[in-house]
Amino acid sequence: MCIDYTKDILRDLLAIVLGLMLSKYTTYSFNFEIPIIALSVVTTMSKFCIKRFIKDNWWLATAAALGFFVAQIFKENFLLFYIFTFGIFFSCFYFIDKSPKEAPNIILGYSFTTIYTTYQKLNMEIMVYDVFIVTILGGLLGFLILTLLPKNKIENIQENNISKEATHKNLGNIVLVTTIVFITWIFYVIFDIKDTFFAYATLAGIYGSINIERIHKLTPMNIVIHTSGCLLATLYSFLVIGVSKFFPILALSLSLLFFPMLYSKYYSDSKIKKSIASGLIGATIMPLALYLTPFGDITSKAGARALQITTMLLISLIITRLLIILGGDTIE
């Protein structure tokens, strides 16, 4: 039976397009999260549930606030700061099988404030406040879309039948993954490289599987996905120079950009193709949300983002390859 995903595509398209436009017309820190959160709401909920929304999303904002307070408490004692951070990361990776969405959000939010707090010129109180605001905005947008286009019973049944993949815990792998992400975090705290933060966030995200061999195999695909996303965003920026400030034109052009990716996400004939399409959507949203303006293309910024992510993941590829060689069959 051929399933009609028209309404699913329309809901996703509204979340992406309206979310991106909100991110363009607001000046909040972390405003790239608006389309990401809205898209998550319309794809994971049959109808908007405030309790589930809080459960799914409060971790990011709370972890950002925690990171800010921890950095303030331990700013004179880096040893305790490092020990505490290692414990946070280890806990997240240890329980990531039970909370595959929440754990990465904790790492992202905590890392965001602990890294950026080391730069004295930034007002971190406002940045933490902004994280809460963009989370609420993304949730409100998702709520409005689900109210306008509610899911029918068939869609709800299909959604409820999705099962979580069981994950085997390998303590050695968890320590290795935690150590790699932790050492990378230390580099960001010590050196002035905060502009490459999203390369770090990408690295932390792909290490969520805990399986070193799987991480190694998925890394090249992630490099291609993120590079392609930056390329698509760059090409799109050339097309909308000078006109992206006009609401209807921006909405239409964004719809034309993301529709083929959404179509592939729902109608591709294999899971890997669907996963690639989903990854490409996120990889294209990010540079558009971060860099797009009506006044010029985003070649330099998107290109730098692609280069930073590629460099970070290539280094990771070398490290995981060495770990596989040294660990042999024990790294699972």
Side-chain angles (χ1 to χ4, degrees):
M1 180 178 70
C2 183
I3 301 174
D4 183 9
Y5 291 109
T6 303
K7 290 182 70 175
D8 296 272
I9 292 174
L10 185 55
R11 277 189 288 265
D12 289 7
L13 201 58
L14 284 172
I16 294 168
V17 172
L18 296 180
L20 277 171
M21 296 180 76
L22 269 176
S23 74
K24 291 292 96 186
Y25 293 104
T26 57
T27 57
Y28 298 111
S29 306
F30 245 62
N31 61 6
F32 63 86
E33 278 288 317
I34 297 174
I36 299 295
I37 291 173
L39 184 60
S40 174
V41 168
V42 300
T43 55
T44 62
M45 294 187 187
S46 56
K47 61 180 180 179
F48 188 82
C49 174
I50 187 65
K51 289 183 178 179
R52 180 174 175 181
F53 175 76
I54 293 173
K55 177 180 179 293
D56 288 346
N57 294 283
W58 83 287
W59 292 103
L60 176 66
T62 303
L66 173 65
F68 171 72
F69 288 116
V70 168
Q72 296 301 315
I73 293 170
F74 295 132
K75 64 181 178 181
E76 302 298 335
N77 194 326
F78 278 94
L79 179 59
L80 288 178
F81 188 23
Y82 292 167
I83 293 173
F84 186 87
T85 299
F86 186 89
I88 289 286
F89 289 173
F90 179 84
S91 299
C92 288
F93 286 121
Y94 187 82
F95 292 108
I96 203 166
D97 60 318
K98 298 182 181 298
S99 52
K101 182 178 179 181
E102 291 83 354
N105 278 340
I106 294 173
I107 294 173
L108 178 61
Y110 179 87
S111 298
F112 172 67
T113 45
T114 50
I115 289 171
Y116 277 76
T117 300
T118 60
Y119 300 89
Q120 301 300 324
K121 294 181 180 179
L122 298 176
N123 190 324
M124 291 307 301
E125 292 92 337
I126 293 178
M127 294 180 79
V128 172
Y129 172 78
D130 286 354
V131 173
F132 282 91
I133 294 298
V134 299
T135 301
I136 293 171
L137 287 175
L140 284 174
L141 179 57
F143 164 75
L144 291 173
I145 293 170
L146 284 177
T147 302
L148 179 65
L149 292 170
K151 294 186 178 181
N152 56 39
K153 292 182 179 180
I154 295 177
E155 290 175 304
N156 294 344
I157 292 171
Q158 290 169 352
E159 179 180 300
N160 292 334
N161 284 338
I162 296 174
S163 60
K164 293 183 178 179
E165 182 182 352
T167 304
H168 170 67
K169 286 186 179 179
N170 182 313
L171 189 59
N173 277 3
I174 295 172
V175 172
L176 284 173
V177 167
T178 302
T179 302
I180 293 170
V181 175
F182 174 68
I183 291 173
T184 308
W185 174 85
I186 289 178
F187 274 99
Y188 274 83
V189 170
I190 294 176
F191 300 106
D192 186 9
I193 53 175
K194 71 178 185 300
D195 290 338
T196 66
F197 174 77
F198 292 102
Y200 163 81
T202 302
L203 176 75
I206 68 169
Y207 273 68
S209 71
I210 308 300
N211 185 315
I212 300 295
E213 193 165 328
R214 178 176 169 80
I215 293 169
H216 185 75
K217 289 180 180 178
L218 290 178
T219 298
M221 185 176 73
N222 273 275
I223 292 174
V224 172
I225 286 173
H226 286 283
T227 303
S228 300
C230 289
L231 177 60
L232 283 173
T234 299
L235 294 175
Y236 171 79
S237 71
F238 279 109
L239 297 175
V240 296
I241 291 175
V243 297
S244 62
K245 58 185 176 181
F246 297 107
F247 188 94
I249 295 177
L250 182 59
L252 177 61
S253 60
L254 285 171
S255 299
L256 293 174
L257 173 66
F258 282 99
F259 177 79
M261 290 181 259
L262 288 169
Y263 188 89
S264 179
K265 171 187 172 182
Y266 283 101
Y267 286 105
S268 290
D269 55 3
S270 67
K271 288 185 178 180
I272 185 65
K273 290 180 181 179
K274 291 181 179 181
S275 297
I276 291 173
S278 296
L280 187 59
I281 290 168
T284 308
I285 287 174
M286 291 296 288
L288 290 177
L290 290 167
Y291 312 128
L292 185 66
T293 71
F295 308 111
D297 65 86
I298 60 173
T299 303
S300 59
K301 291 182 177 180
R305 173 185 169 84
L307 180 61
Q308 291 159 6
I309 291 175
T310 300
T311 302
M312 183 78 77
L313 295 187
L314 283 175
I315 294 171
S316 169
L317 197 65
I318 295 170
I319 293 172
T320 52
R321 182 57 184 168
L322 288 173
L323 290 174
I324 291 171
I325 292 172
L326 294 173
D329 297 330
T330 62
I331 298 179
E332 300 175 350

